[in-house]
Amino acid sequence: MAKKVESLQELKQAAAESVKSEEKVVRKANKDKLGRAYATGKRKDAVARVWVKPGKGVVTINGKDMEQYFARPVLKMIINQPFEVTNRVNEFDVVCTVKGGGLSGQAGAIKHGIAKALNDFEPELRAALKQAGFLTRDDRTVERKKYGRAKARRSYQFSKR
């Protein structure tokens, strides 16, 4: 049972001891035997499997270079966002395979996977990635078509006659 505190001085001393005992938990980096961190990213219908390792900033997607796979500069910018937020541009090589969805969804899935893998590789980057919202899966998907409707919500054109 806990000891009885008689005075204010003993209460302060007990509080100081409890603060010392609650040391901050340090997360350990999660890497495989090849020194890579793995994560799965998802966006819309796209699923990306991402491996991150220290390197020169080469991004390979489905066996192709990022410049070849994503022609639009906006999609390349989306993929590089986790590195820019954490000030790790051109410090990591990324190898990923992505399936499903369109190019925009695939870019979002790769971004999500890179952010999660960076978090596993360097746990101290979690605060920056979390604040930017990169560790949260964007769960917005296309709404299904309903019967009696032209699309998900659009009705057929009304005609009085």
Side-chain angles (χ1 to χ4, degrees):
M1 195 167 146
K3 70 177 190 178
K4 190 173 179 183
V5 179
E6 302 265 337
S7 68
L8 184 62
Q9 192 65 27
E10 289 178 18
L11 181 63
K12 287 181 182 177
Q13 195 173 21
E17 288 173 7
S18 69
V19 169
K20 287 179 186 175
S21 67
E22 293 178 14
E23 292 183 20
K24 198 171 189 179
V25 177
V26 179
R27 287 190 45 177
K28 192 178 141 215
N30 189 12
K31 301 178 205 169
D32 63 4
K33 57 188 171 194
L34 299 175
R36 304 174 302 184
Y38 170 79
T40 304
K42 295 180 180 180
R43 171 78 173 100
K44 294 187 179 180
D45 284 335
V47 179
R49 300 182 307 158
V50 180
W51 289 267
V52 172
K53 64 180 179 178
K56 298 178 181 174
V58 178
V59 178
T60 307
I61 303 162
N62 291 348
K64 294 181 182 178
D65 188 49
M66 179 173 64
E67 306 292 325
Q68 213 176 2
Y69 196 84
F70 291 116
R72 295 195 337 227
V74 173
L75 301 177
K76 296 174 199 168
M77 181 199 72
I78 288 171
I79 290 173
N80 286 321
Q81 281 177 337
F83 297 119
E84 292 167 4
V85 166
T86 57
N87 296 322
R88 299 288 191 273
V89 178
N90 296 331
E91 290 185 24
F92 289 97
D93 287 345
V94 177
V95 177
C96 66
T97 58
V98 62
K99 293 180 181 177
L103 289 178
S104 176
Q106 288 183 352
I110 293 169
K111 176 178 89 168
H112 185 228
I114 288 172
K116 285 172 62 177
L118 276 176
N119 182 36
D120 283 349
F121 197 89
E122 290 185 51
E124 59 271 8
L125 299 178
R126 181 174 177 81
L129 292 168
K130 184 86 172 165
Q131 186 183 18
F134 296 153
L135 296 178
T136 306
R137 187 219 195 280
D138 188 355
D139 63 346
R140 295 176 295 167
T141 57
V142 178
E143 191 174 347
R144 77 172 193 87
K145 184 194 176 304
K146 278 77 171 189
Y147 59 87
R149 299 271 174 176
K151 293 165 70 174
R153 297 185 180 203
R154 176 155 178 12
S155 299
Y156 293 111
Q157 183 173 347
F158 176 74
S159 175
K160 196 168 188 177
R161 293 181 225 279

